[in-house]
Structure formats: C-alpha cells, structure tokens
Amino acid sequence: MARIMKGREASIVILIIAFIAIVGSINSKFVEGNSLLLLLSSSIILFILAIGQSFVLLTAEIDVSVGSTMGLCAAICGLLLTGGMSVWPVVLIVLLVGAAAGLFNGFGVAYLKIPAIIMTLGTLGILRGLMIITTGGKWIEDIPNFFKKLSTESFLGLPIPIWIGLILVAAAYLMLRLTRFGRYFYAVGDNADGARLIGIPVAKVKMIAFMLSGISASIAAMVFVMNIGFIPNQTGNGMELQVIAAAVVGGVSLNGGLGTVWGAGLGAIFLTAINSSLIYLKIPAYWNNAISGLLLLVIVISNSKFQDYLRNAPFKRTAFVKGGMGKDEKADQSSA
C-alpha cells in the first residue's frame, strides 16, 4: 500500500478525482457521463504528445519542437487528403515526416552535441516556416468526410482516437518496462557517462528518443485532423509548453531517469480537466491562462508536499508501532 501511494501516478489519480469532485459539486454537469467522455477526447492529443515527450525527458533532454512538428504533419495530412490520396499512403507519409523531424533533432543533439533546447528551438522555427510555406498561410478545409468520421466511430463505447492513445501508452509502457532497450532510456537519463561505460549506445538511444517524440507528434497531428476537420495555420502553436508541463505534472523528471508514460498521460488528462473546468465554472476565457498556471503551481507544490509526507510520516511509524520493519524502510537503510 505504501509503495502504491508513493507512486506519482496514484497521487495524480487522487488529484484528478478530487478536482473533478470539487468542480462537480459546483456544477453537476461537469461530472455527467458525456462530459467526462468529452474530457478524455479533448485530452487525447496532449496525451499522445506527452507519451513521445516522455522518452526525450527520460534521457535528460527536452524537445520544444513537438508543437510545430504536429502543425507541419497536420498540414501535410490535410493537403494530401484534400488532394485525393488514399488513407494508408497519407498515414505512412505523415509518420515519416514526424520521424524525420525527430531524427533531425536527435542527430543534432546526440552527434553534433548541440544543446537540446537550442536544437529544438531552431527546429521549431524551421518547421513553423515550412508549414506556412506549404499551406501558403491559409487554413486547410474540406477534409474528406470519411476521415473526419473516424473520430466519431467507437469500439466498446470509446471513440477511436481514445483507443489510439491507449494502445500507444500501453505499447510504450511495455517497451520501457519489459525490454532491455527500454531500460536504456532510464539508464542514459540517470547517468549518461555510467551508461556509456557499460556499453549502452547513449547517442543512439537519445536519437531514437527524439524520433519517437516526432512520431508521436505525427500521430497526434492525424488525430487533430480527424477531430477538428480543418487545419488552421496556427496549429500546434504553444503545445510544447503544455506537453512538457503534462509530463512533469505526471512525474517525469526534467533531470531524466525517472517517470512513466502512464504518469505523463495522466498529467495530460489533469491539465485538460483544469482547462475544461473553467468553462463549467463560467470563468471568462481571458482568465484561462492565468488560472491554469496558478492551479498548475498549486498542484505541483501540493503533490510534492504530499509525497514528502508519505515518505516521512505514517507508514514508517506504523512499522515501528508493530515492532517490525517495512520493506521500504529496509530499502532506505540499505541505500543509506
């Protein structure tokens, strides 16, 4: 029980439930079934982006180009679909564009030793410019109906985009936990020099992390086109900050080597819940950014204090009262 409660995912779930309950007590429409399903659907793009960003953060790097990668991929997806190309070639091309953007970032960071923030900021500008050049600065409309209808199709009561997100997070989690290469991401982020000494290909791992981030951005772009049905020329602007915030709220460390993709996904749902709640609380839209930022700070600080409390107070005391020593305490002593 102690171990479960100490997990960041558990505390985020508790915070989400508490937050929804508080807002629901003010406006009951927020906790109706359709509203909660709409909340999940609204969070799915950020959810998918956070999964990819987690791989980069785990290696102690950062990717601030995910928003522009998503925007360019969405524009290419829209142009190809409106041009009459069938779905599967479009999917393949968009995935390749996302992977190429990630490969470009990864090569610069891992092999040219350019700091990740500088490299991905440069890529952000390049991709944003390419999007404007590609679209001529115009919105892309008239997306074929068959593609837009994919967002309304459901399986076992859940829309297709939610299934896409669940499959991606499950695959990413299994890869990180059950495969040797998946553990390399944690090892590189925890101690890159040590990882290199034991034979882990640090540069290759970092490059693949950026590629996975780019691919997740391309998938998010296709989901965006399905959901929205048109592509504004500002698509993806500002998404990078939300993505990084979602991953950090979900417990992925900016210092690398710590966190899970489930936590990042839960962080995305939580941030979306905060933004959605402002509508139900009838707060004017121009307050959104200020209130979301304030709530984010309060939540991160509260969660940090909650984790400190769990580490230091009740469970250890219980162990001493019973005259025994818990497993966690043994671990603490052995590591001391």
PDB file of all heavy atoms in Angstrom, residues 3 6 310-312 315-316 325-336:
ATOM      1  N   ARG A   3       3.862   1.562  -1.078  1.00  0.00           N
ATOM      2  CA  ARG A   3       4.528   1.735  -2.372  1.00  0.00           C
ATOM      3  C   ARG A   3       3.566   2.321  -3.403  1.00  0.00           C
ATOM      4  O   ARG A   3       3.924   3.176  -4.205  1.00  0.00           O
ATOM      5  CB  ARG A   3       5.068   0.388  -2.844  1.00  0.00           C
ATOM      6  CG  ARG A   3       5.749   0.446  -4.185  1.00  0.00           C
ATOM      7  CD  ARG A   3       6.509  -0.815  -4.470  1.00  0.00           C
ATOM      8  NE  ARG A   3       7.640  -0.969  -3.554  1.00  0.00           N
ATOM      9  CZ  ARG A   3       8.481  -1.987  -3.607  1.00  0.00           C
ATOM     10  NH1 ARG A   3       8.337  -2.920  -4.499  1.00  0.00           N
ATOM     11  NH2 ARG A   3       9.479  -2.062  -2.758  1.00  0.00           N
ATOM     12  N   LYS A   6       3.002   5.970  -2.767  1.00  0.00           N
ATOM     13  CA  LYS A   6       4.162   6.800  -3.062  1.00  0.00           C
ATOM     14  C   LYS A   6       4.357   7.009  -4.557  1.00  0.00           C
ATOM     15  O   LYS A   6       5.111   7.868  -4.976  1.00  0.00           O
ATOM     16  CB  LYS A   6       5.422   6.171  -2.448  1.00  0.00           C
ATOM     17  CG  LYS A   6       5.476   6.312  -0.927  1.00  0.00           C
ATOM     18  CD  LYS A   6       6.726   5.653  -0.369  1.00  0.00           C
ATOM     19  CE  LYS A   6       6.760   5.770   1.145  1.00  0.00           C
ATOM     20  NZ  LYS A   6       7.936   5.127   1.731  1.00  0.00           N
ATOM     21  N   LEU A 310       4.219  11.286   2.624  1.00  0.00           N
ATOM     22  CA  LEU A 310       4.151   9.823   2.524  1.00  0.00           C
ATOM     23  C   LEU A 310       5.501   9.178   2.813  1.00  0.00           C
ATOM     24  O   LEU A 310       5.582   8.101   3.395  1.00  0.00           O
ATOM     25  CB  LEU A 310       3.678   9.424   1.122  1.00  0.00           C
ATOM     26  CG  LEU A 310       2.214   9.723   0.787  1.00  0.00           C
ATOM     27  CD1 LEU A 310       1.933   9.393  -0.672  1.00  0.00           C
ATOM     28  CD2 LEU A 310       1.285   8.923   1.686  1.00  0.00           C
ATOM     29  N   ARG A 311       6.573   9.860   2.412  1.00  0.00           N
ATOM     30  CA  ARG A 311       7.904   9.287   2.622  1.00  0.00           C
ATOM     31  C   ARG A 311       8.312   9.321   4.089  1.00  0.00           C
ATOM     32  O   ARG A 311       8.983   8.420   4.573  1.00  0.00           O
ATOM     33  CB  ARG A 311       8.946  10.064   1.806  1.00  0.00           C
ATOM     34  CG  ARG A 311       9.109   9.597   0.380  1.00  0.00           C
ATOM     35  CD  ARG A 311      10.380  10.164  -0.229  1.00  0.00           C
ATOM     36  NE  ARG A 311      10.294  11.605  -0.367  1.00  0.00           N
ATOM     37  CZ  ARG A 311       9.794  12.215  -1.442  1.00  0.00           C
ATOM     38  NH1 ARG A 311       9.346  11.496  -2.449  1.00  0.00           N
ATOM     39  NH2 ARG A 311       9.738  13.525  -1.508  1.00  0.00           N
ATOM     40  N   ASN A 312       7.865  10.354   4.798  1.00  0.00           N
ATOM     41  CA  ASN A 312       8.430  10.594   6.125  1.00  0.00           C
ATOM     42  C   ASN A 312       7.530  10.238   7.302  1.00  0.00           C
ATOM     43  O   ASN A 312       8.027  10.008   8.397  1.00  0.00           O
ATOM     44  CB  ASN A 312       8.821  12.069   6.264  1.00  0.00           C
ATOM     45  CG  ASN A 312       9.873  12.452   5.262  1.00  0.00           C
ATOM     46  OD1 ASN A 312      10.757  11.655   4.966  1.00  0.00           O
ATOM     47  ND2 ASN A 312       9.767  13.633   4.711  1.00  0.00           N
ATOM     48  N   PHE A 315       3.643   5.681   7.250  1.00  0.00           N
ATOM     49  CA  PHE A 315       3.922   4.273   7.022  1.00  0.00           C
ATOM     50  C   PHE A 315       5.084   3.770   7.869  1.00  0.00           C
ATOM     51  O   PHE A 315       5.057   2.679   8.407  1.00  0.00           O
ATOM     52  CB  PHE A 315       4.182   4.039   5.539  1.00  0.00           C
ATOM     53  CG  PHE A 315       3.015   4.432   4.706  1.00  0.00           C
ATOM     54  CD1 PHE A 315       3.067   5.543   3.880  1.00  0.00           C
ATOM     55  CD2 PHE A 315       1.835   3.717   4.773  1.00  0.00           C
ATOM     56  CE1 PHE A 315       1.975   5.903   3.120  1.00  0.00           C
ATOM     57  CE2 PHE A 315       0.743   4.081   4.005  1.00  0.00           C
ATOM     58  CZ  PHE A 315       0.808   5.175   3.184  1.00  0.00           C
ATOM     59  N   LYS A 316       6.119   4.624   8.029  1.00  0.00           N
ATOM     60  CA  LYS A 316       7.243   4.205   8.861  1.00  0.00           C
ATOM     61  C   LYS A 316       6.826   4.090  10.313  1.00  0.00           C
ATOM     62  O   LYS A 316       7.210   3.186  11.028  1.00  0.00           O
ATOM     63  CB  LYS A 316       8.400   5.204   8.709  1.00  0.00           C
ATOM     64  CG  LYS A 316       9.076   5.121   7.350  1.00  0.00           C
ATOM     65  CD  LYS A 316      10.268   6.025   7.279  1.00  0.00           C
ATOM     66  CE  LYS A 316      10.976   5.859   5.939  1.00  0.00           C
ATOM     67  NZ  LYS A 316      12.159   6.694   5.826  1.00  0.00           N
ATOM     68  N   MET A 325       9.908  -3.990  10.719  1.00  0.00           N
ATOM     69  CA  MET A 325      10.489  -3.038   9.788  1.00  0.00           C
ATOM     70  C   MET A 325       9.945  -3.326   8.406  1.00  0.00           C
ATOM     71  O   MET A 325      10.029  -4.454   7.929  1.00  0.00           O
ATOM     72  CB  MET A 325      12.009  -3.151   9.784  1.00  0.00           C
ATOM     73  CG  MET A 325      12.698  -2.112   8.896  1.00  0.00           C
ATOM     74  SD  MET A 325      14.459  -2.255   9.002  1.00  0.00           S
ATOM     75  CE  MET A 325      14.755  -1.615  10.631  1.00  0.00           C
ATOM     76  N   GLY A 326       9.341  -2.303   7.788  1.00  0.00           N
ATOM     77  CA  GLY A 326       8.748  -2.466   6.466  1.00  0.00           C
ATOM     78  C   GLY A 326       9.798  -2.631   5.399  1.00  0.00           C
ATOM     79  O   GLY A 326      10.971  -2.293   5.587  1.00  0.00           O
ATOM     80  N   LYS A 327       9.317  -3.134   4.256  1.00  0.00           N
ATOM     81  CA  LYS A 327      10.225  -3.354   3.129  1.00  0.00           C
ATOM     82  C   LYS A 327      10.845  -2.069   2.637  1.00  0.00           C
ATOM     83  O   LYS A 327      12.017  -2.006   2.291  1.00  0.00           O
ATOM     84  CB  LYS A 327       9.444  -4.023   1.991  1.00  0.00           C
ATOM     85  CG  LYS A 327      10.296  -4.480   0.851  1.00  0.00           C
ATOM     86  CD  LYS A 327       9.430  -5.223  -0.139  1.00  0.00           C
ATOM     87  CE  LYS A 327      10.279  -5.714  -1.315  1.00  0.00           C
ATOM     88  NZ  LYS A 327       9.447  -6.436  -2.276  1.00  0.00           N
ATOM     89  N   ASP A 328      10.026  -0.993   2.654  1.00  0.00           N
ATOM     90  CA  ASP A 328      10.535   0.283   2.183  1.00  0.00           C
ATOM     91  C   ASP A 328      11.646   0.791   3.075  1.00  0.00           C
ATOM     92  O   ASP A 328      12.608   1.392   2.621  1.00  0.00           O
ATOM     93  CB  ASP A 328       9.412   1.324   2.129  1.00  0.00           C
ATOM     94  CG  ASP A 328       8.414   0.967   1.054  1.00  0.00           C
ATOM     95  OD1 ASP A 328       8.820   0.301   0.088  1.00  0.00           O
ATOM     96  OD2 ASP A 328       7.244   1.340   1.184  1.00  0.00           O
ATOM     97  N   GLU A 329      11.470   0.550   4.415  1.00  0.00           N
ATOM     98  CA  GLU A 329      12.494   1.021   5.328  1.00  0.00           C
ATOM     99  C   GLU A 329      13.791   0.265   5.127  1.00  0.00           C
ATOM    100  O   GLU A 329      14.876   0.824   5.203  1.00  0.00           O
ATOM    101  CB  GLU A 329      12.013   0.859   6.759  1.00  0.00           C
ATOM    102  CG  GLU A 329      10.937   1.881   7.127  1.00  0.00           C
ATOM    103  CD  GLU A 329      10.465   1.629   8.527  1.00  0.00           C
ATOM    104  OE1 GLU A 329       9.826   0.620   8.760  1.00  0.00           O
ATOM    105  OE2 GLU A 329      10.786   2.447   9.389  1.00  0.00           O
ATOM    106  N   LYS A 330      13.670  -1.036   4.879  1.00  0.00           N
ATOM    107  CA  LYS A 330      14.891  -1.801   4.621  1.00  0.00           C
ATOM    108  C   LYS A 330      15.612  -1.275   3.400  1.00  0.00           C
ATOM    109  O   LYS A 330      16.831  -1.176   3.375  1.00  0.00           O
ATOM    110  CB  LYS A 330      14.531  -3.276   4.417  1.00  0.00           C
ATOM    111  CG  LYS A 330      14.042  -3.942   5.696  1.00  0.00           C
ATOM    112  CD  LYS A 330      13.698  -5.391   5.407  1.00  0.00           C
ATOM    113  CE  LYS A 330      13.183  -6.082   6.665  1.00  0.00           C
ATOM    114  NZ  LYS A 330      12.781  -7.472   6.400  1.00  0.00           N
ATOM    115  N   ALA A 331      14.819  -0.933   2.415  1.00  0.00           N
ATOM    116  CA  ALA A 331      15.427  -0.390   1.198  1.00  0.00           C
ATOM    117  C   ALA A 331      16.121   0.919   1.487  1.00  0.00           C
ATOM    118  O   ALA A 331      17.220   1.193   0.995  1.00  0.00           O
ATOM    119  CB  ALA A 331      14.353  -0.195   0.123  1.00  0.00           C
ATOM    120  N   ASP A 332      15.437   1.760   2.321  1.00  0.00           N
ATOM    121  CA  ASP A 332      16.042   3.045   2.659  1.00  0.00           C
ATOM    122  C   ASP A 332      17.365   2.846   3.375  1.00  0.00           C
ATOM    123  O   ASP A 332      18.350   3.532   3.124  1.00  0.00           O
ATOM    124  CB  ASP A 332      15.090   3.867   3.547  1.00  0.00           C
ATOM    125  CG  ASP A 332      13.880   4.344   2.770  1.00  0.00           C
ATOM    126  OD1 ASP A 332      13.935   4.296   1.528  1.00  0.00           O
ATOM    127  OD2 ASP A 332      12.890   4.730   3.405  1.00  0.00           O
ATOM    128  N   GLN A 333      17.382   1.869   4.332  1.00  0.00           N
ATOM    129  CA  GLN A 333      18.595   1.658   5.107  1.00  0.00           C
ATOM    130  C   GLN A 333      19.719   1.098   4.247  1.00  0.00           C
ATOM    131  O   GLN A 333      20.877   1.465   4.378  1.00  0.00           O
ATOM    132  CB  GLN A 333      18.321   0.702   6.262  1.00  0.00           C
ATOM    133  CG  GLN A 333      17.511   1.373   7.372  1.00  0.00           C
ATOM    134  CD  GLN A 333      17.594   0.598   8.665  1.00  0.00           C
ATOM    135  OE1 GLN A 333      18.234  -0.444   8.721  1.00  0.00           O
ATOM    136  NE2 GLN A 333      16.968   1.103   9.690  1.00  0.00           N
ATOM    137  N   SER A 334      19.341   0.194   3.364  1.00  0.00           N
ATOM    138  CA  SER A 334      20.371  -0.422   2.529  1.00  0.00           C
ATOM    139  C   SER A 334      20.991   0.570   1.583  1.00  0.00           C
ATOM    140  O   SER A 334      22.139   0.442   1.184  1.00  0.00           O
ATOM    141  CB  SER A 334      19.787  -1.590   1.738  1.00  0.00           C
ATOM    142  OG  SER A 334      18.789  -1.108   0.858  1.00  0.00           O
ATOM    143  N   SER A 335      20.178   1.582   1.198  1.00  0.00           N
ATOM    144  CA  SER A 335      20.722   2.577   0.266  1.00  0.00           C
ATOM    145  C   SER A 335      21.470   3.677   0.969  1.00  0.00           C
ATOM    146  O   SER A 335      22.094   4.507   0.346  1.00  0.00           O
ATOM    147  CB  SER A 335      19.575   3.191  -0.570  1.00  0.00           C
ATOM    148  OG  SER A 335      18.664   3.853   0.273  1.00  0.00           O
ATOM    149  N   ALA A 336      21.317   3.718   2.312  1.00  0.00           N
ATOM    150  CA  ALA A 336      21.942   4.819   3.053  1.00  0.00           C
ATOM    151  C   ALA A 336      23.448   4.609   3.149  1.00  0.00           C
ATOM    152  O   ALA A 336      23.947   3.509   3.112  1.00  0.00           O
ATOM    153  CB  ALA A 336      21.356   4.905   4.453  1.00  0.00           C
TER     154      ALA A 336
END
